[in-house]
């Protein structure tokens, strides 16, 4: 292997995780690896982790942390799971899928406060401390269990890149569209952006304020409801 920082991911097989995470010398603070007998809406009593996805309405995507590119989930989520996510997060947001198919998410408020009060004191101390860290950073959210995806698996599509070649049909369609355009907008010299009769020079975005992505032409919302980097730094004692 060359002496550099490049690594390749390889598939080794499956492992069936179970049992508890046990802090060294403090078994009383154990955390279940794979919680059982949970109902949708229950507080999640384990480490909040898994494959990170996001959704808005019925659109679902996975963001590749290595390339920072968005991969659309073409086959959507199971209706029961998507419906519960929409129930708890009407504006959309992030969620996690654990290795065994449990769907979990962070929510700002719970529709059943009595349930929260009843279950919170039973959460492992480690989980309570992670919630406390979020709260101290202004992220006042609780981890809850949404449901299980069963045998569903995501079908991901590759995002379009600006360097992708256009097909002959796409080139003809674009040329026809471009030639049909009239003088319908003005362009400011300072920003080189088209505006609808305005020289404000402000950047364009959709009504939700989502900027367009670098690798496709659809709005790409960025959610701040699942901040993990600073939690990891706090736990490991690393720099800000």
């Amino acid at each position: 292997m060359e002496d550099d920082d490049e690594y390749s991911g390889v598939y080794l097989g499956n492992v069936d995780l179970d049992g508890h995470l046990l802090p060294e010398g403090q078994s009383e603070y154990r955390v279940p690896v794979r919680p059982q007998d949970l109902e949708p809406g229950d507080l999640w009593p384990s480490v909040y982790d898994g494959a990170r996805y996001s959704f808005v309405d019925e659109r679902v995507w996975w963001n590749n942390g290595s390339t920072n590119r968005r991969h659309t989930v073409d086959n959507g989520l199971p209706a029961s799971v998507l419906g519960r996510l929409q129930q708890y997060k009407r504006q959309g947001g992030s969620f996690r899928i654990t290795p065994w198919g449990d769907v979990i998410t962070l929510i700002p408020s719970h529709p059943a406060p009595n349930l929260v009060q009843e279950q919170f004191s039973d959460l492992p101390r480690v989980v309570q401390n992670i919630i406390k860290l979020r709260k101290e950073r202004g992220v006042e959210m609780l981890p809850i269990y949404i449901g299980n995806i069963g045998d569903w698996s995501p079908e991901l599509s590759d995002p379009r890149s600006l360097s992708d070649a256009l097909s002959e049909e796409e080139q003809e369609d674009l040329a026809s569209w471009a030639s049909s355009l009239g003088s319908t907008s003005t362009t400011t010299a300072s920003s080189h952006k088209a505006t609808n009769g305005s020289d404000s020079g402000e950047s364009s975005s959709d009504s939700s304020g989502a900027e367009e992505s670098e690798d496709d032409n659809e709005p790409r919302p960025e959610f701040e409801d699942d901040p993990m980097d600073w939690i990891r730094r706090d736990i490991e004692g690393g720099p800000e």
Side-chain angles (χ1 to χ4, degrees), residues 2 10 16 36 38 56 86 90-91 100 107 111 117 124 130 140 149 156 197-199 201 212-213 235:
E2 297 181 3
V10 296
D16 189 14
Q36 302 290 328
L38 295 178
V56 169
Q86 293 171 335
R90 297 183 183 277
Q91 302 302 316
W100 47 90
I107 60 173
Q117 189 172 12
I130 292 176
E140 299 185 3
I149 59 174
L156 303 177
S198 170
D199 289 338
E212 288 190 355
S213 71
I235 293 175

Side-chain angles (χ1 to χ4, degrees), residues 17-238:
L17 299 177
D18 206 346
H20 294 80
L21 297 172
L22 302 175
E24 186 176 358
Q26 297 178 312
S27 60
E28 66 271 26
Y29 302 135
R30 64 184 186 175
V31 177
V33 173
R34 185 176 180 179
Q36 302 290 328
D37 302 323
L38 295 178
E39 295 292 331
D42 284 352
L43 296 185
W44 180 246
S46 183
V47 176
Y48 186 82
D49 202 2
R52 183 181 179 184
Y53 291 80
S54 300
F55 80 101
V56 169
D57 298 325
E58 295 185 357
R59 291 188 298 146
V60 183
W61 65 92
W62 170 67
N63 193 71
N64 188 326
S66 300
T67 63
N68 199 32
R69 300 181 72 189
R70 183 185 65 182
H71 296 256
T72 300
V73 179
D74 293 331
N75 57 336
L77 285 172
S80 59
V81 171
L82 180 61
R84 293 191 192 108
L85 283 171
Q86 293 171 335
Q87 174 187 352
Y88 287 105
K89 306 181 83 164
R90 297 183 183 277
Q91 302 302 316
S94 301
F95 62 95
R96 300 292 184 105
I97 300 180
T98 69
W100 47 90
D102 286 333
V103 178
I104 55 180
T105 192
L106 296 170
I107 60 173
S109 61
H110 200 289
N114 291 337
L115 178 66
V116 173
Q117 189 172 12
E118 176 185 338
Q119 294 183 352
F120 190 86
S121 60
D122 293 331
L123 293 177
R125 180 178 294 187
V126 172
V127 176
Q128 291 183 359
N129 271 309
I130 292 176
I131 293 174
K132 178 175 179 290
L133 286 175
R134 289 196 189 97
K135 184 177 183 296
E136 289 175 348
R137 292 297 187 95
V139 184
E140 299 185 3
M141 291 189 165
L142 292 171
I144 66 166
Y145 171 74
I146 292 294
N148 192 280
I149 59 174
D151 58 1
W152 175 89
S153 60
E155 297 175 2
L156 303 177
S157 62
D158 289 330
R160 185 176 184 86
S161 173
L162 293 179
S163 60
D164 287 347
L166 295 174
S167 67
E168 183 176 343
E169 181 180 358
E170 289 173 328
Q171 289 178 331
E172 292 178 353
D173 286 343
L174 281 173
S176 175
W177 167 78
S179 64
S180 68
L181 292 179
S183 179
T184 58
S185 63
T186 60
T187 304
T188 65
S190 59
S191 66
H192 295 281
K193 294 181 181 293
T195 61
N196 293 325
S198 170
D199 289 338
S200 64
E202 295 179 354
S203 62
S204 62
S205 63
D206 65 9
S207 60
S208 65
E211 297 294 335
E212 288 190 355
S213 71
E214 295 180 357
D215 49 42
D216 57 35
N217 58 1
E218 294 182 3
R220 180 180 183 179
E222 295 292 345
F223 297 108
E224 301 295 336
D225 59 349
D226 185 3
M228 288 301 297
D229 290 342
W230 56 260
I231 292 179
R232 187 175 295 109
R233 287 196 296 266
D234 280 357
I235 293 175
E236 297 175 354

